[in-house]
Amino acid sequence: PAADVAADSIGVDQLTSAATQRVFFGHMSVGNNILSGVQQVYRQDNVEGPRVIRIAASDSTPDLSSGGAIVHSLIGANGDPKGKLVNFDAAVRGGLGEKVDVALVKFCYLDVTKGTDVDELFRTYKATFDALERDMPDVVFLHTTVPLTVPPSGIKAHLKALLQGVDNPTRERYNALVRAAYPADRLLDVAAIEGTSPEGTREPSLYPGYSSDGSHLNGAGSSLVAVRFLQLLADHKVA
């Protein structure tokens, strides 16, 4: 695995500022990796982090009147990104939007595969967020790219990829639409972080040294994405 040095790239002021934000984060498993990275970065820099509150879709909105918090929920089902958008929209409109400063939903690598109609999915995504931004102007909505996976290695894996196709090119076609639509200061570009090696080389796939199993993030990968997430939160701190 790669060395876990991401905490060195964010300052105490940014960490302190990010910790005051009230955030709603809808996600699945890689999202858990990112949140683990958030807590890891605060521990490594010896700074008090935000409360991390997990809720279910059916839970009532938690009390966010005292200090910053990252409220998060495992949202929808992997393989059904449109269902995730419906669930996220309902959660934000169901009360969370009145209590948070920042909100975002992250798709899973399983949500975009070689058979996905990325243009149609992105139209649905953009329509959902256009409406949320129109109706909730006090909430900063961040956007994310779809995570990537480690490319196949070994003869058997390459043969399987030749027969069944690979998913990362489709994910990157979707990600290109996200990057073109939203400015960098509103974008958590998970895929770009995952694909950039410690030496700075960029590939359209998850760098193996950042992964625990070829698709999820290890400590080093989790911290890298977490630092960018926290920088975005600090940049959008509500006065």
Side-chain angles (χ1 to χ4, degrees), residues 19-22 51 53 62-69:
T20 65
Q21 292 279 51
R22 299 169 301 167
R51 293 173 294 154
I53 305 169
D63 180 6
L64 300 179
S65 59
S66 59

Side-chain angles (χ1 to χ4, degrees), residues 194-223:
E194 288 185 330
T196 304
S197 73
E199 295 75 35
T201 304
R202 170 86 177 272
E203 298 289 343
S205 56
L206 172 55
Y207 175 69
Y210 298 151
S211 180
S212 58
D213 59 3
S215 51
H216 295 94
L217 297 173
N218 62 17
S222 297
S223 291

Side-chain angles (χ1 to χ4, degrees), residues 12 20 26 29 65 101 114 144 147 155 225:
V12 171
T20 65
S29 55
S65 59
D101 308 307
K114 60 185 180 294
T144 72
I155 294 174
V225 182

Side-chain angles (χ1 to χ4, degrees), residues 58-80:
S58 58
D59 289 350
S60 59
T61 305
D63 180 6
L64 300 179
S65 59
S66 59
I70 299 176
V71 178
H72 70 109
S73 178
L74 297 180
I75 200 157
N78 283 339
D80 181 16

Side-chain angles (χ1 to χ4, degrees), residues 59-145:
D59 289 350
S60 59
T61 305
D63 180 6
L64 300 179
S65 59
S66 59
I70 299 176
V71 178
H72 70 109
S73 178
L74 297 180
I75 200 157
N78 283 339
D80 181 16
K82 288 185 181 179
K84 291 183 178 182
L85 290 172
V86 170
N87 290 350
F88 177 80
D89 185 80
V92 173
R93 294 181 184 277
L96 279 166
E98 298 170 4
K99 295 188 176 183
V100 299
D101 308 307
V102 177
L104 68 161
V105 63
K106 187 196 66 58
F107 288 153
C108 179
Y109 57 88
L110 293 170
D111 291 328
V112 178
T113 59
K114 60 185 180 294
T116 300
D117 183 338
V118 296
D119 294 301
E120 201 266 338
L121 175 58
F122 183 70
R123 280 195 296 271
T124 303
Y125 177 92
K126 190 171 186 303
T128 300
F129 275 85
D130 284 350
L132 284 170
E133 289 174 346
R134 178 195 67 221
D135 296 341
M136 300 189 175
D138 293 333
V139 178
V140 172
F141 289 97
L142 300 180
H143 308 278
T144 72
T145 50

Side-chain angles (χ1 to χ4, degrees), residues 224-235:
L224 280 170
V225 182
V227 162
R228 181 57 188 148
F229 181 35
L230 293 170
Q231 288 170 337
L232 288 171
L233 295 183
D235 289 345

Side-chain angles (χ1 to χ4, degrees), residues 23-66:
V23 182
F24 175 52
F25 181 27
H27 66 91
M28 288 297 273
S29 55
V30 174
N32 281 331
N33 298 156
I34 296 169
L35 290 173
S36 294
V38 166
Q39 294 170 310
Q40 192 167 285
V41 167
Y42 277 98
R43 283 196 302 271
Q44 288 175 337
D45 282 348
N46 198 29
V47 178
E48 184 176 353
R51 293 173 294 154
V52 177
I53 305 169
R54 178 172 169 176
I55 63 170
S58 58
D59 289 350
S60 59
T61 305
D63 180 6
L64 300 179
S65 59
S66 59

